[in-house]
Amino acid sequence: MASEYYYYDENGKRLELFPDPDMYVVRFRRVGHADTQALQPKDLAFVKHQSEQVAYIPQYNMLVNRSHLPARKVKTRLRSLRSESTVETAEPVFHYAKEDQAPVLLNNLVTVVFADGVSDQDAKAFIEAVLSETGGAIKEPVGYVRPRVGYVISTNGAGGKMNALELSRAFFEKSANDPSVPKVEFCVPDLITRRRFRNWMARFLRTTRDAQGDDWTYKAEQWFLDKVGVFDAWSEDQSRGANVTVAICDDGVDVQHPEFLGRVVAEFDFESYVEDGSPKDPASNHGTACAGVAVAAGIAASGAAPRANLMAVRFPDTVGGIDEARMFEWMADNGADVINCSWGPESGVPQALAPTVRAAIRYCVTQGREGRGIPILWAAGNGDELVSDDGYATNPDVMAVAASTEQDTRAPYSEYGPEIFIAAPSSGDNTPAQRRIFTTDRLGASGYNPGSTGLGDATGSYVNDFGGTSAAAPLAAGVCALMLSANPELSVGQVRRILKETAVKIGDDYVDGHSPNFGYGRIDSAAAVRAAKDAQTTPIENSIEGPDKLREEDPPPTFSITLPTTRYYAVEVAARADLFDSAGAGDMRTDANFFASWQTGGLLNAPSFQLPDDAWARLRSADRLFYRMLSSSDQSAWSNVMVTPPSGAAGDDFSIEILRDEPGVVSPLTTEDEWSRNGAPPSFSIDVSVAPHYAIELAGAHEFFASETAGGGRTSSNYFASWHDYGLLSGATVTLPSAVWESLSGLARVYYRLWVSESSSEWRNSWTTVPSADHASAPWFSVTD
């Protein structure tokens, strides 16, 4: 039986939610007890006596309860509650997966965003036509998707008949099935989930002043600044972050702290919607510590950018996608130059990024800083696990920051994986020998340090045991502020490129310049500031950026586009740069070596462009693909055309290297490109003339093939090695055991390799089809629904 609890993501993929059998959420129309007391007796009894309160979410006026009734009766009672005049919504509490316990609350709002070229008039007419059948009302426009059109819609308008899941499906399915109506890019419900702040506090009291006596200094305590060359960076450029605004998006910042006074230029609270970014409850200490690492003035604790301005943005730990998106839009519109986010979903709970939040972050990196883009630093997480399931840190528009130690090793909690962009020093393990982070604390007894020199200082204004990727990310954010202060014209793409090219390679697990533990390396402030000063800036309207490398079997490349909102563009991709010269190319252009988006449609205005599948199939046989963008001020005709880069000037900076296996090398292990998670287990073909005795190894990430990068991330749901249970195998085919496939089928893709031995009973002269040092080249198959 098909589930009634699902919606579609921006790719049209059906995403299912799993209802909790005992827990539910009720949202009343008014705050207070009056609406509860006005319930019919049976509904009042259900809410007050047959349930217990688990939580109350004040900004959404949501009561979360656990019922004592059987699941079927809970469903009946919720149906009755929805008919009450004082109730806006009554729904089960959901989970993203059957096995996880992280709650997902369904709000009464949906966000609908239309495709390029849909006018506001046509969009509104379509919305009103759908709402005439379903009920509901337009609440507000969505600004961060402009020039596209989008609206937030409430399910509770006159005659509302659907919840947010049902209403989102109604919009999406009608658009998908009826070519005569405006094309919906995405329409998603507002899901409210919990966020975790990514600090890693010590489990011991680490004395500093008492132990070191007269040798103790504030500067010595801030070893992490010296580790990344911040003091040398200040010598390179004396501005030290001046005229740059760093947004700390967190649980609040103590804006009255002496380290921040006079430099707080904007603040906002996205729980109560007031211009006050200070903490609101006793446990909200995290944001003040993060702000200190980035921008503290240096009275006692110095941030990496001690003269930068501070934007204090507070949000509660339970928040919906619509408010998150508004938060990023607000930061961009109010002058943020760098954004730091040291938070994310709960560890161990896979969570995709909501399309609303993804679009708002894209707005920051394409439209922020007057079109130059805002660098966004994101703490990679402290779960000592693969980062790939975290939709926030793995968003390609942000830079995921891992934590290294004072000894240049991976911090034992720091998450790892192919999406890590860079590393910065933070706390190590929980032993006194591993130094932690000294930074600002909420004033007085309110913060981490109630007032002890052993914990920071006697007044409680500083703390010395902060850490985690929560500290690594704002350190990197402060370095970005130094770069932008040295060269305000840098684009976000240039900031990323400079950080990548100047990073120090620590560790020895780099493949093609990237480490799963440290990204492109540990950040180097002085080198980054030098490179920033020397960088040649280009007009912001001429910006297209694609991947540096792709394997032939990878999905088509996606290009990031930066240009003013009133402009439009087309993308050209060619196997040779000279094919861009329309006068000289003549008949040399063919479908096999050239593609132009204007050949298959009009000019575009979306913030990214993906090469169509059919064009990729024709062009990927080239060794390298060159690309450029042609922009126009008019969508219907070429007007005020600018080309990036100019004809004939497309070098390696505007090209993609196509990677493929060496000719003549054929793996003795093959399988299909796709396997259904609900179908028969995958089978593999083995060339027994090459591999008479073998074992198969499967993994959800290629990093798991290298023991030094696997960490503690291998589990039965993401890794399998046949030799563990079945010894060495033989035969021309092998089928994965059903129990193993049941464990692995939740993955999106499965990497595989073969281990070969001369002996049937022991490893003798063994070798593998994918050496551990080259694990990124491992083949894989997709797992489909």
Side-chain angles (χ1 to χ4, degrees):
M1 179 178 175
S3 170
E4 61 185 293
Y5 304 116
Y6 67 94
Y7 63 101
Y8 299 98
D9 69 6
E10 63 266 55
N11 298 313
K13 181 180 179 181
R14 174 173 161 153
L15 299 179
E16 189 171 355
L17 297 176
F18 297 89
D20 191 293
D22 303 316
M23 295 178 63
Y24 65 93
V25 59
V26 181
R27 177 171 179 161
F28 293 99
R29 296 190 182 279
R30 294 177 297 173
V31 177
H33 298 290
D35 278 357
T36 307
Q37 298 304 321
L39 295 174
Q40 296 297 317
K42 64 176 180 179
D43 293 329
L44 180 63
F46 173 58
V47 172
K48 299 289 289 184
H49 306 298
Q50 296 169 338
S51 307
E52 58 179 322
Q53 182 174 324
V54 175
Y56 176 68
I57 316 299
Q59 71 271 29
Y60 300 111
N61 192 28
M62 282 184 167
L63 180 66
V64 183
N65 280 1
R66 178 179 286 108
S67 173
H68 308 305
L69 299 177
R72 58 182 178 80
K73 289 190 176 181
V74 172
K75 193 170 184 178
T76 300
R77 293 289 188 270
L78 290 179
R79 191 180 305 116
S80 178
L81 273 174
R82 290 185 203 111
S83 67
E84 294 273 6
S85 61
T86 60
V87 173
E88 280 196 338
T89 184
E91 300 291 340
V93 167
F94 296 100
H95 305 289
Y96 282 121
K98 291 179 180 179
E99 62 274 9
D100 79 53
Q101 295 301 309
V104 179
L105 311 181
L106 182 64
N107 203 355
N108 65 324
L109 302 174
V110 301
T111 301
V112 57
V113 172
F114 292 88
D116 293 339
V118 176
S119 69
D120 186 61
Q121 181 179 359
D122 289 345
K124 275 187 175 178
F126 174 63
I127 292 172
E128 289 166 358
V130 174
L131 294 183
S132 67
E133 301 175 4
T134 65
I138 293 176
K139 182 176 175 66
E140 63 189 35
V142 178
Y144 53 82
V145 297
R146 55 183 180 265
R148 291 169 293 165
V149 177
Y151 283 94
V152 174
I153 301 169
S154 169
T155 65
N156 298 114
K161 304 180 182 71
M162 293 183 171
N163 65 21
L165 288 172
E166 295 164 336
L167 187 59
S168 72
R169 296 200 302 265
F171 276 104
F172 191 89
E173 290 172 352
K174 184 167 184 59
S175 173
N177 297 327
D178 186 349
S180 68
V181 303
K183 176 67 174 175
V184 169
E185 184 170 316
F186 65 80
C187 186
V188 292
D190 190 34
L191 301 178
I192 299 168
T193 54
R194 189 170 186 182
R195 305 289 175 263
R196 293 290 188 185
F197 298 105
R198 291 174 164 174
N199 56 315
W200 185 261
M201 301 303 292
R203 290 193 285 269
F204 59 90
L205 299 183
R206 182 175 66 87
T207 60
T208 55
R209 293 186 180 188
D210 294 343
Q212 298 178 29
D214 293 339
D215 293 332
W216 187 95
T217 65
Y218 281 116
K219 185 174 181 179
E221 188 75 351
Q222 293 165 90
W223 58 271
F224 48 94
L225 298 181
D226 192 37
K227 187 74 178 178
V228 298
V230 165
F231 304 133
D232 292 335
W234 294 347
S235 299
E236 292 285 342
D237 184 86
Q238 300 295 323
S239 60
R240 299 189 182 188
N243 301 315
V244 175
T245 297
V246 178
I248 301 296
C249 180
D250 216 281
D251 64 359
V253 176
D254 190 340
V255 295
Q256 299 303 316
H257 201 293
E259 299 281 6
F260 309 133
L261 284 179
R263 293 185 296 125
V264 180
V265 295
E267 50 183 312
F268 203 83
D269 185 334
F270 278 87
E271 179 177 33
S272 54
Y273 273 76
V274 295
E275 294 182 356
D276 176 9
S278 61
K280 300 300 189 296
D281 62 71
S284 296
N285 308 317
H286 187 264
T288 302
C290 290
V293 176
V295 300
I299 298 171
S302 180
R307 294 179 185 167
N309 295 323
L310 172 63
M311 177 182 287
V313 179
R314 178 186 179 270
F315 71 99
D317 63 0
T318 301
V319 66
I322 287 177
D323 279 336
E324 272 189 39
R326 288 170 177 156
M327 186 166 64
F328 284 100
E329 181 185 20
W330 185 90
M331 287 187 282
D333 289 349
N334 284 273
D337 296 306
V338 181
I339 295 174
N340 182 80
C341 297
S342 289
W343 48 271
E346 298 195 46
S347 293
V349 179
Q351 185 169 332
L353 190 60
T356 48
V357 182
R358 185 185 304 279
I361 290 175
R362 171 124 291 257
Y363 176 75
C364 291
V365 300
T366 58
Q367 307 304 323
R369 296 178 56 239
E370 298 180 342
R372 296 177 186 88
I374 302 171
I376 302 177
L377 290 304
W378 211 287
N382 302 335
D384 184 23
E385 61 188 4
L386 194 66
V387 73
S388 301
D389 285 336
D390 179 347
Y392 291 84
T394 60
N395 178 7
D397 282 333
V398 311
M399 290 176 275
V401 185
S404 57
T405 68
E406 187 176 4
Q407 292 75 31
D408 283 340
T409 60
R410 181 177 78 89
Y413 49 80
S414 184
E415 297 190 11
Y416 49 85
E419 298 87 358
I420 298 296
F421 184 80
I422 207 160
S426 186
S427 55
D429 59 26
N430 282 307
T431 63
Q434 295 275 354
R435 285 202 284 181
R436 301 176 66 79
I437 302 300
F438 181 87
T439 185
T440 49
D441 194 23
R442 290 175 66 182
L443 296 173
S446 299
Y448 294 125
N449 174 16
S452 164
T453 56
L455 294 176
D457 78 319
T459 67
S461 302
Y462 301 90
V463 61
N464 64 14
D465 68 345
F466 194 57
T469 55
S470 276
L475 179 55
V479 173
C480 289
L482 296 180
M483 296 167 63
L484 294 179
S485 185
N487 188 344
E489 300 301 315
L490 290 176
S491 69
V492 67
Q494 288 177 300
V495 171
R496 292 174 66 99
R497 185 169 298 178
I498 290 171
L499 289 176
K500 173 182 174 180
E501 293 175 351
T502 60
V504 178
K505 295 291 191 285
I506 58 175
D508 57 1
D509 56 349
Y510 292 83
V511 176
D512 293 330
H514 184 274
S515 159
N517 292 319
F518 307 111
Y520 293 104
R522 191 198 67 222
I523 201 165
D524 185 332
S525 308
V529 169
R530 276 195 301 273
K533 290 171 65 177
D534 295 339
Q536 298 296 313
T537 55
T538 57
I540 59 173
E541 60 267 30
N542 289 338
S543 178
I544 178 172
E545 186 174 2
D548 295 331
K549 300 178 181 180
L550 279 179
R551 294 193 66 79
E552 191 175 16
E553 63 269 20
D554 284 343
T558 296
F559 302 91
S560 295
I561 308 296
T562 302
L563 72 171
T565 59
T566 55
R567 302 186 67 84
Y568 305 91
Y569 69 90
V571 173
E572 293 181 341
V573 180
R576 303 195 315 269
D578 63 319
L579 295 174
F580 292 138
D581 181 2
S582 57
D587 296 334
M588 291 189 296
R589 287 181 179 176
T590 68
D591 286 346
N593 64 26
F594 182 80
F595 166 83
S597 65
W598 45 263
Q599 291 175 331
T600 57
L603 298 181
L604 309 170
N605 61 2
S608 63
F609 172 77
Q610 185 175 42
L611 190 66
D613 289 335
D614 58 342
W616 175 234
R618 298 192 305 269
L619 295 172
R620 62 187 177 188
S621 59
D623 294 330
R624 185 176 290 273
L625 291 179
F626 298 86
Y627 59 87
R628 69 173 185 170
M629 178 181 70
L630 299 87
S631 55
S632 170
S633 59
D634 192 317
Q635 190 172 22
S636 58
W638 292 111
S639 178
N640 300 317
V641 176
M642 291 188 292
V643 182
T644 306
S647 296
D652 287 354
D653 285 346
F654 293 89
S655 69
I656 306 167
E657 182 182 0
I658 309 301
L659 305 176
R660 54 179 59 88
D661 293 332
E662 291 295 327
V665 177
V666 179
S667 173
L669 177 68
T670 56
T671 188
E672 299 293 334
D673 293 337
E674 293 184 355
W675 288 94
S676 169
R677 57 172 46 91
N678 299 314
S683 60
F684 298 83
S685 298
I686 293 90
D687 183 350
V688 292
S689 66
V690 177
H693 311 291
Y694 57 84
I696 291 179
E697 194 175 9
L698 308 176
H702 53 75
E703 289 83 6
F704 290 160
F705 288 152
S707 58
E708 65 272 16
T709 60
R714 289 177 177 173
T715 68
S716 60
S717 61
N718 64 29
Y719 179 78
F720 168 72
S722 65
W723 67 78
H724 285 165
D725 299 312
Y726 303 99
L728 292 175
L729 308 172
S730 61
T733 61
V734 62
T735 299
L736 204 61
S738 297
V740 173
W741 181 232
E742 184 175 350
S743 297
L744 297 179
S745 60
L747 297 168
R749 64 169 58 174
V750 177
Y751 295 84
Y752 58 89
R753 68 175 176 178
L754 196 71
W755 281 93
V756 180
S757 173
E758 288 184 358
S759 169
S760 63
S761 58
E762 62 180 353
W763 294 114
R764 184 186 304 159
N765 294 328
S766 61
W767 58 277
T768 178
T769 54
V770 181
S772 296
D774 195 28
H775 55 77
S777 67
W780 51 271
F781 61 82
S782 298
V783 183
T784 60
D785 291 327

